[in-house]
Amino acid sequence: MDPNNPYETWQAVIEKVKSYGTVNPAQVDAFLGRMQPQASSVGFLLATVDTDFIKGQIEKRFLSQIEQALRDLFETEYVVEIEVDPGSSAFMQQIATQNAQQAAPYTPPAQPAAPQAAGAQAGAAPIAPAHSEPAAPAAQPIQSQPQVAPQVQPAIAAQPSSPQPPAATSHLTGSQIARANGMDTGAAALTFENFIIGDSNRLAYSMAVSVAESPGKSTLNPLFIYGKSGLGKTHLLRAIQNYILETRPDMRVVYIDAQEFITEYSIAAIDHSKDKSSFQAFQSRYLDADALLIDDVQYFQGKSATVNIVFQLFNRLTDAGKQVVLSADRSPKSIDIDERYKSRFNSGGTYDIQPPEVETKLGIIKSFIEEYKRSEGSWDLYVPEDIQMYIAEISSSNVRELKSAVTKVISQMTAFGNPDITLSDVKSLLENHFSAGALKKITVEAVQHEVEQYYQVSHADLIGTKRSRNIAYARHVAIYLCRQMIDIPYNDIGKRFNRDHSTIMSSVEKIEKKTKESRELQEELEIIIKNIREN
């Protein structure tokens, strides 16, 4: 190996670091893959990264391993220099190009011009009270310069173009800043540093970091992250919020869950006829934001008035260079809202989080154990490796359930006086823990029922002889899920569908092939599987 060849040297370093038992290979790829070697010689290596955050994380997490790998490879001490060059990351350049090429063209819906006359009353037009979903303002959009109720901060438009961090917040800790912004300690603890990266979430993580470091960049505005419940979407949104609050205390970041937003809007709309300032205060809260983060936007389905208001806010903010981040449990195209809004969701960067692989779940378990040891001062706590691996293998993809399982085991070891807990003990302890896990008994009838409900076909058609396209497709999916979720022989599945062994095998192969090509089918399977496990 030539120590003067930076690329060759760096590839060898990455492979060497991965071989160390103290690191997670997926996280090595996630971080060291962002480094670009620039120069090397005996005893020296220079590499660049695209952001200060990535530089800090590599120095904190991997610098000692990089230096060790160089010593092991070349049998000499090395000086490793890491510099920031925003244009150095081929990975980020590729993503930016991909976003520009794939962004759907968007034409904003026609809106009446906002009143510009001095003294014109700001705020939406009167909203009729409603028993459920309030009616959308029909005549006027949200004004670009709303009047602000006394308790609401001044509009961003009124701030200086280059504000300085207020002296009152510049010395505060991250948790103090979080509390000042109405966050609880749990939300303040959700950071990029304690997010476990794996192949299933690496891209979404990288995009979230990019947005946090440079909010408002057009290539990632809006940023849309989707994946089923418990995979880390909220963690990433809160991490963006916490990072911006810590590094840019002059910026105003608003995080809200979609259901909470619907409630706020309903109350403000109903009160509008009595007190116009209530709606003005509602809209000002969001128009004043430098970054708006809305979680679980799938709950806007069927809420046409709320969706209309959201997109008025959305357009005002993005047009002004403010950042919008959205999350959902499904892709934009699978959310039942107007096509114009789906297009707008997709106009920035859209990234999914897949269920974590065993290695990522194991990393989450180890991280959670270390977090517990630090918080409780229980440095002598030891959870055997075979127990950690067992939890990772039998757990569902829901990270919350995974962490609660680890908590349950630790409680048995500490509070209930069983420090020498065995694998057999843990198997009994967690037998019924995972509501959506592999240990829950699933039947062929349950699979058939949920597939029938999802695709709107009858049971008689599903197991019958009809071969119309929609029925055959649903039948293939049901057979595939029986094989994947119950793992019974092809012959046994065939008996329940009135098919022979070869037909069952063919159905499974068809769906296996299609899942590799169709993200839409993957999402359908995720929803059906969730319904099977929860019902």
Side-chain angles (χ1 to χ4, degrees):
M1 185 191 313
D2 181 4
N4 296 307
N5 184 324
Y7 178 79
E8 184 178 313
T9 297
W10 185 240
Q11 294 307 306
V13 167
I14 290 178
E15 292 306 312
K16 192 67 175 177
V17 171
K18 283 183 179 180
S19 72
Y20 299 147
T22 56
V23 301
N24 182 331
Q27 298 210 42
V28 173
D29 286 334
F31 285 101
L32 301 196
R34 297 281 287 273
M35 293 180 68
Q36 298 295 312
Q38 302 296 341
S40 67
S41 60
V42 177
F44 177 76
L45 175 67
L46 170 66
T48 55
V49 294
D50 52 312
T51 71
D52 287 315
F53 176 78
I54 295 298
K55 176 179 184 289
Q57 288 298 296
I58 290 172
E59 290 176 340
K60 179 179 178 180
R61 299 185 184 205
F62 297 109
L63 185 57
S64 62
Q65 287 92 338
I66 292 171
E67 292 170 342
Q68 180 63 50
L70 288 163
R71 282 196 298 270
D72 292 344
L73 290 167
F74 297 106
E75 299 182 347
T76 187
E77 294 293 329
Y78 263 73
V79 173
V80 178
E81 293 286 348
I82 303 174
E83 296 182 357
V84 177
D85 177 3
S88 71
S89 173
F91 169 76
M92 294 303 292
Q93 291 172 7
Q94 177 184 350
I95 293 301
T97 302
Q98 172 186 317
N99 289 340
Q101 292 174 343
Q102 295 185 355
Y106 171 70
T107 303
Q111 295 283 4
Q116 300 296 322
Q121 183 177 359
I127 298 176
H131 295 294
S132 54
E133 168 78 342
Q140 295 177 315
I142 290 178
Q143 306 302 307
S144 58
Q145 295 182 342
Q147 291 181 353
V148 178
Q151 70 273 25
V152 180
Q153 295 181 14
I156 293 301
Q159 294 178 352
S161 57
S162 301
Q164 298 299 316
T169 62
S170 60
H171 65 282
L172 298 181
T173 65
S175 60
Q176 288 172 325
I177 293 173
R179 285 196 298 273
N181 283 271
M183 295 169 63
D184 58 35
T185 54
L190 299 175
T191 65
F192 289 121
E193 285 81 357
N194 57 28
F195 185 89
I196 303 301
I197 308 164
D199 292 337
S200 57
N201 57 30
R202 183 184 306 154
L203 191 54
Y205 175 90
S206 297
M207 297 305 102
V209 169
S210 181
V211 162
E213 288 219 307
S214 302
K217 282 170 47 177
S218 60
T219 52
L220 291 173
N221 198 12
L223 173 64
F224 193 105
I225 299 173
Y226 69 98
K228 65 181 183 178
S229 178
L231 298 186
K233 303 184 298 297
T234 298
H235 191 141
L236 286 181
L237 264 64
R238 287 296 195 180
I240 292 171
Q241 180 185 24
N242 287 323
Y243 187 87
I244 295 175
L245 290 175
E246 183 177 350
T247 60
R248 304 185 183 205
D250 56 296
M251 293 186 70
R252 185 166 185 267
V253 187
V254 175
Y255 166 94
I256 190 165
D257 181 88
Q259 290 180 309
E260 183 182 351
F261 184 95
I262 292 168
T263 300
E264 282 191 12
Y265 170 62
S266 299
I267 294 171
I270 292 169
D271 289 346
H272 182 65
S273 58
K274 302 176 183 177
D275 180 7
K276 290 182 173 55
S277 66
S278 65
F279 196 87
Q280 293 168 4
F282 163 78
Q283 68 183 47
S284 295
R285 176 189 176 195
Y286 299 103
L287 286 171
D288 285 354
D290 293 287
L292 174 61
L293 293 70
I294 307 181
D295 212 350
D296 289 322
V297 298
Q298 73 275 3
Y299 290 117
F300 289 145
Q301 288 187 144
K303 306 289 184 182
S304 58
T306 306
V307 170
N308 184 49
I309 291 297
V310 167
F311 276 88
Q312 290 187 46
L313 292 168
F314 184 111
N315 291 331
R316 294 290 187 194
L317 291 171
T318 54
D319 288 349
K322 311 301 184 182
Q323 181 68 50
V324 174
V325 182
L326 309 167
S327 85
D329 67 358
R330 65 205 71 174
S331 67
K333 67 180 180 182
S334 298
I335 299 176
D336 186 16
I337 56 174
D338 189 286
E339 286 297 328
R340 295 172 302 167
Y341 300 147
K342 292 181 185 181
S343 172
R344 195 67 166 114
F345 277 156
N346 273 319
S347 62
T350 302
Y351 303 94
D352 68 329
I353 301 179
Q354 291 292 315
E357 57 283 341
V358 171
E359 292 78 9
T360 301
K361 289 195 285 186
L362 188 59
I364 293 169
I365 291 168
K366 291 182 180 299
S367 175
F368 187 64
I369 292 172
E370 290 302 313
E371 179 184 326
Y372 178 87
K373 289 162 71 173
R374 285 193 301 271
S375 63
E376 300 297 324
S378 302
W379 299 109
D380 57 346
L381 175 70
Y382 174 69
V383 180
E385 294 292 332
D386 60 341
I387 290 176
Q388 294 185 39
M389 180 56 73
Y390 174 75
I391 296 173
E393 289 177 339
I394 63 99
S395 62
S396 68
S397 60
N398 190 307
V399 175
R400 300 183 191 98
E401 283 194 347
L402 177 63
K403 289 184 176 181
S404 68
V406 178
T407 300
K408 201 170 186 179
V409 171
I410 291 175
S411 296
Q412 280 290 318
M413 298 174 68
T414 56
F416 295 97
N418 187 11
D420 300 320
I421 193 169
T422 66
L423 180 57
S424 178
D425 295 333
V426 171
K427 287 181 178 179
S428 298
L429 182 67
L430 301 180
E431 184 176 5
N432 299 308
H433 180 80
F434 296 105
S435 61
L439 295 182
K440 181 177 179 180
K441 184 173 178 58
I442 297 171
T443 65
V444 173
E445 290 78 10
V447 173
Q448 291 174 335
H449 174 74
E450 293 301 335
V451 170
E452 291 158 8
Q453 292 293 308
Y454 188 86
Y455 293 110
Q456 294 296 293
V457 300
S458 70
H459 182 68
D461 285 342
L462 189 75
I463 65 172
T465 58
K466 290 185 179 179
R467 300 181 64 181
S468 60
R469 185 174 181 179
N470 65 314
I471 294 174
Y473 181 77
R475 186 182 298 132
H476 293 325
V477 168
I479 290 170
Y480 170 80
L481 291 176
C482 284
R483 180 65 177 172
Q484 295 298 312
M485 301 183 72
I486 310 175
D487 196 23
I488 57 178
Y490 290 118
N491 280 338
D492 290 352
I493 298 174
K495 292 175 183 177
R496 313 299 282 273
F497 286 85
N498 299 317
R499 261 77 182 165
D500 59 25
H501 175 276
S502 61
T503 302
I504 297 301
M505 286 186 64
S506 176
S507 293
V508 172
E509 289 170 359
K510 285 178 181 177
I511 298 300
E512 283 180 342
K513 181 180 179 181
K514 192 170 180 62
T515 55
K516 297 175 182 177
E517 304 167 351
S518 171
R519 176 59 192 161
E520 184 175 356
L521 174 57
Q522 292 176 26
E523 292 174 5
E524 290 175 5
L525 293 176
E526 289 173 8
I527 294 170
I528 296 169
I529 289 170
K530 180 181 178 182
N531 292 340
I532 291 169
R533 287 174 167 165
E534 292 182 352
N535 295 334

